């Protein structure tokens, strides 16, 4: 069980778009349409922003979108806002009833 | 509204045991798989274990396999994590989380967490 690979940090100015990558393997990201993305503000529980690779839960801003190509999933935040500053984690179902997280990406709004 | 309330955390010596509990409400508990996820100080999220709706399927992270046991009591709407042979590296905030389905697939909802500190 190896963690999914995410960049440690990504930054952007208000109004810009940023993309966070999440690289796994054919045993997890590449084999299942079960990538989720979570936003986590300090001291708060994680919040789901994308599920099943590219679906957005009700109540989540349309500025959040997900995609996937092969073993790499991506989260794009468009029209970056100050409130988007947080840690973001990708997650995927892996084989044999296990789940694996990425190491997390700190998003900074400049 | 989904509510997940963890309890049972605390300070424990290395090598000892601790049992975490999670009380679930706001949804039909026995329709969904459940998970434990942890976050060590200064580290990222780590999936610990998952259990299917009927306890028929269980999965564990390699880091806890053989030491931790996940279980559930659908009659009590409760999830448990028995943690044995605890190590300093098990120190973390432990979250109870709800799946999207009865099988182990993906985590949708989270509790607020209970803190476990392993130290002598």
């Amino acid at each position: 069980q190896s963690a999914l690979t995410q960049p440690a940090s990504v930054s952007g100015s208000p109004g810009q778009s940023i993309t966070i990558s999440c690289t796994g393997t054919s045993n997890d990201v590449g084999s299942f349409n079960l990538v989720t993305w979570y936003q986590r503000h300090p001291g708060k529980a994680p919040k789901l922003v994308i599920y099943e690779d590219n679906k957005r839960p009700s109540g989540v801003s349309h500025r959040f979108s997900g995609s996937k190509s092969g073993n790499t999933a991506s989260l794009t935040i468009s029209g970056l806002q100050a409130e988007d500053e947080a840690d973001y984690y990708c997650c995927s179902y892996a084989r044999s009833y296990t789940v694996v997280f990425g190491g997390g990406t700190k998003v900074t709004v400049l | 509204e989904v509510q997940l309330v963890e309890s049972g955390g605390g300070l424990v010596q290395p090598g000892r045991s601790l049992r975490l509990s999670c009380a679930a409400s706001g949804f039909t508990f026995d329709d969904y798989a459940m998970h434990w996820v942890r976050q060590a100080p200064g580290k990222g999220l780590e999936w610990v274990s998952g259990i299917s709706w009927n306890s028929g399927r269980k999965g564990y992270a390699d880091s806890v396999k053989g030491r931790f046991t996940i279980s559930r009591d659908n009659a009590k709407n409760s999830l448990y994590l028995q943690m044995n042979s605890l190590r300093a590296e098990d120190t973390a905030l432990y979250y109870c989380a709800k799946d999207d389905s009865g099988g182990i697939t993906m985590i949708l909802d989270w509790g607020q967490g209970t803190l476990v500190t392993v130290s002598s």
Side-chain angles (χ1 to χ4, degrees), chain A residues 1 33-36 38 40 43-48 51-52 87 89 91-93 96-104, chain B residues 35 37 39 43-47 50 57-63 65 93 95 99-100 104-108 110-112:
Chain A
Q1 297 166 350
N33 296 325
L34 291 172
V35 173
T36 50
Y38 306 94
R40 188 159 188 260
K44 297 288 187 68
K47 173 190 174 184
L48 180 73
Y51 68 101
E52 290 180 1
D87 292 328
Y89 292 89
C91 180
S92 175
Y93 176 77
S96 304
Y97 312 109
T98 62
V99 169
V100 61
F101 279 90
Chain B
H35 303 260
V37 178
Q39 184 165 29
K43 299 289 183 67
L45 297 172
E46 179 189 17
W47 179 81
R57 302 295 188 200
K58 299 177 184 180
Y60 297 92
D62 288 343
S63 58
K65 200 174 294 183
L93 184 62
Y95 290 101
D99 202 286
D100 175 58
I104 295 170
T105 56
M106 58 184 172
I107 294 167
L108 292 193
W110 301 70
Q112 292 299 313

